[in-house]
Amino acid sequence: MAGIDAFGVQLKRGDGETPEVFTAIANLTNLEDGGRTRNTIDVTAHDSPNKYMEFVGGLIDAGEVTADINYDPAVHDVLEADLEDEDPRNYQIVFPDPAQTTFSFAAVMTGFSKSAPTDDKLSASLTFKVSGKPTIA
């Protein structure tokens, strides 16, 4: 199978209303899903076979999503409010495959850094800590 061109991926922000409407965060230049990890629980006992440690799966951490954008203060003012908000907000990543696969997640914004070099564009980097189990549709 050939790869899929990533051009056209979108990061969308929910408005918190019912029904929820998602709007693309404009000028997305890069997106990374840091991946999920599972903790392990040590269940080793004195009768564990062959003196080997034993583990079972514990809680899953849904990780972080990071996004780089061409920053526009007039358009991205809602992101300032997201950083101030303690409660998770709903977001979506929409992939540019024919099915428009959507990765939906609730997250708390944990980072919002802006850059304004003298010889380049205004940009910003956003970090979101995923809360709960994401869904893929």
Side-chain angles (χ1 to χ4, degrees):
M1 176 180 153
I4 297 174
D5 185 355
F7 183 80
V9 70
Q10 293 181 315
L11 175 62
K12 294 185 173 187
R13 177 184 180 273
D15 65 3
E17 301 295 322
T18 305
E20 192 152 30
V21 175
F22 287 85
T23 304
I25 295 174
N27 294 301
L28 181 67
T29 60
N30 189 47
L31 184 72
E32 183 177 336
D33 170 10
R36 294 177 281 178
T37 59
R38 178 185 291 277
N39 292 331
T40 56
I41 300 169
D42 183 348
V43 294
T44 308
H46 287 286
D47 60 350
S48 292
N50 303 309
K51 291 186 168 184
Y52 273 80
M53 295 179 74
E54 297 180 285
F55 298 90
V56 296
L59 298 174
I60 296 174
D61 181 348
E64 293 182 334
V65 171
T66 57
D68 297 323
I69 59 173
N70 291 329
Y71 181 62
D72 181 345
V75 173
H76 295 119
D77 58 338
V78 295
L79 298 176
E80 296 285 353
D82 286 0
L83 184 62
E84 295 291 329
D85 195 354
E86 296 174 351
D87 296 323
R89 172 175 292 280
N90 292 326
Y91 296 91
Q92 294 178 333
I93 299 170
V94 181
F95 294 99
D97 61 323
Q100 293 283 287
T101 302
T102 302
F103 178 77
S104 300
F105 59 98
V108 174
M109 185 186 284
T110 59
F112 186 7
S113 61
K114 300 165 204 69
S115 178
T118 59
D119 62 346
D120 205 353
K121 64 187 177 190
L122 280 173
S123 62
S125 182
L126 315 172
T127 305
F128 303 90
K129 179 63 179 164
V130 179
S131 177
K133 183 179 180 177
T135 60
I136 299 175

